[in-house]
Amino acid sequence: MSRPAWARFSLRARLLVLTLLGVAAALLLAHGVLSNLFREEVQRQVAQGLQAQLDLLTTRLEPDAQGQLDLKGQNPADPRWQQPYGGLYWQVDLPQRPAAWRSRSLWDSQLNLPPDQLGSTELHQHLLSGPQGEPLLVLERRVQWPEQGSARLAVAADLRDSHTAVARFERVLGWSLLVLLAVLLLAAWAQVRLGLAPLAELQRALAALRQGQQPRLQGHYPAEVQPLVDDFNGVLAHNEAVLERARTQAGNLAHALKTPLSVLAQAAQAASPSAPGLPELVQEQVAQAQRQVDWHLARARAAAAHSVQRTAVLPQLQALVRTLARLHPDKTLSLPTSPQSQALHFAGETQDLLEMAGNVLDNACRWARQQVRVQASITAQGLLTLCVDDDGPGVPLERRAQVLRRGERLDEAQPGHGLGLAIVQDLAALYGGTLQLQDSPLGGLRVLLTLPSTPGAAGPQNPAQPSGLAQEPGPASR
């Protein structure tokens, strides 16, 4: 599946493009808003001037001695009112006499006012074409007299100068905003360059790490990048510990297989195939070698586990109880549950939980007289606790350390279900848990297994040589 085109761009290019688009859109919007405000303000100023002239024209229109409307007073002082097509115009329409009076600037033309229903003294505003086709802003009102009737008064101004001013403002504003855009893009480029500088430093540190120049990522990074660096260094440390344990496991396994292989080689050289006792010797040494392989394979798999899986505890315990009940029909296995039991989880692989719990339960069943009880709960610290009690002979206090001690055997029992309490202790230690032996209220032994319930509740331990790793394993039997 091909990557989208945008995914090929670098972070620097993405940030700069997004900044360019965002700033350009904002400046275009600002240009439009400011230009419109300036245009409206210019038109408002022109309209205010025209309204003052319209008021002046209204005061000049009065009835004469014969009761007829007449214009009195002097014309406005602005020379544009007198200059033909000077840009300022006024006109008075009577009901029967359109353009009865008009400014000299209209010359031989008149304002073509649109049909409009004006109330008395009501002010209307229009945009029309002037005598020479120029744009005009027209203000008009109707004045009413009781006897003389009404008159329609209008004043107009040429908007070409206003449009020129607006165009000049928009041009200057456009160039100013372009300069601002360039300055902002330069600032954005500097910001992106400085902001991404730690990533370039991180890249150099990774290159040095890959070339073997340093064992960890070195340097000081911003608060947003430092957690990533710390986590990466943590992964490196974990991988180093796993590699070291794998090397140790390989050496231990090779050392552990030396003895049975040497015995087999000497027996093959010293005796004929028909010699008495050779088959038994071969079976014994092969079984011992198989136990060594099982032990070290399980330890290697568990040592490499750094899982964030969550395994439901209750279904696994129920399956183990059903299986062991068939293997030990003369024993009574009980698994008290509660509504909270469904929420119990183990922060690790299902197989590891089965190996630890299965071995402890099988050990309890083999030594119990009649009753075995297993309980699961969560502590206040968020840890999973598996408590297995039996009514067997128990283990004396002075011998409990020997049961869990590396390389110690209390008997030569054949391997049963699981890998022994020593490997259970090692598996639990790798998950940050513990294994404890106590007196059981049933009269026998209590095995208390504490494990993480959620990822991070108890971190995996990374000792260079966990207990039970270097010596020959034997079932930790009582």
Side-chain angles (χ1 to χ4, degrees), residues 200-270:
E201 182 181 353
L202 180 60
Q203 183 181 14
R204 290 191 293 270
L206 286 172
L209 179 67
R210 184 175 59 252
Q211 296 169 4
Q213 298 177 4
Q214 56 189 29
R216 296 286 187 275
L217 293 179
Q218 306 292 338
H220 300 284
Y221 300 92
E224 294 80 6
V225 181
Q226 191 62 46
L228 175 64
V229 174
D230 294 340
D231 290 343
F232 190 80
N233 284 334
V235 172
L236 292 177
H238 173 72
N239 289 341
E240 287 182 1
V242 170
L243 180 60
E244 183 63 27
R245 285 196 296 268
R247 290 171 177 170
T248 304
Q249 289 281 0
N252 290 339
L253 181 58
H255 178 75
L257 293 179
K258 276 184 180 180
T259 300
L261 291 178
S262 298
V263 172
L264 290 176
Q266 293 175 2
Q269 292 176 0

Side-chain angles (χ1 to χ4, degrees), residues 168-232:
R168 186 184 306 113
F169 173 80
E170 290 179 346
R171 185 167 54 254
V172 173
L173 178 64
W175 283 109
S176 301
L177 292 180
L178 283 178
V179 173
L180 179 60
L181 175 62
V183 172
L184 290 177
L185 287 180
L186 183 61
W189 177 84
Q191 182 180 13
V192 170
R193 183 177 179 85
L194 292 177
L196 296 181
L199 296 183
E201 182 181 353
L202 180 60
Q203 183 181 14
R204 290 191 293 270
L206 286 172
L209 179 67
R210 184 175 59 252
Q211 296 169 4
Q213 298 177 4
Q214 56 189 29
R216 296 286 187 275
L217 293 179
Q218 306 292 338
H220 300 284
Y221 300 92
E224 294 80 6
V225 181
Q226 191 62 46
L228 175 64
V229 174
D230 294 340
D231 290 343
F232 190 80

Side-chain angles (χ1 to χ4, degrees), residues 94-148:
L94 297 178
Q96 303 302 326
R97 294 171 55 192
W101 295 282
R102 57 187 175 183
S103 63
R104 185 176 179 80
S105 57
L106 279 174
W107 199 241
D108 57 353
S109 302
Q110 65 181 34
L111 298 176
N112 297 317
L113 299 176
D116 204 357
Q117 298 296 326
L118 288 170
S120 179
T121 68
E122 186 178 353
L123 190 67
H124 281 197
Q125 181 174 307
H126 307 285
L127 290 175
L128 303 177
S129 295
Q132 296 182 318
E134 71 274 21
L136 295 181
L137 177 63
V138 179
L139 266 67
E140 64 168 334
R141 70 156 57 106
R142 185 177 296 277
V143 181
Q144 184 76 32
W145 286 269
E147 296 180 358
Q148 288 79 15

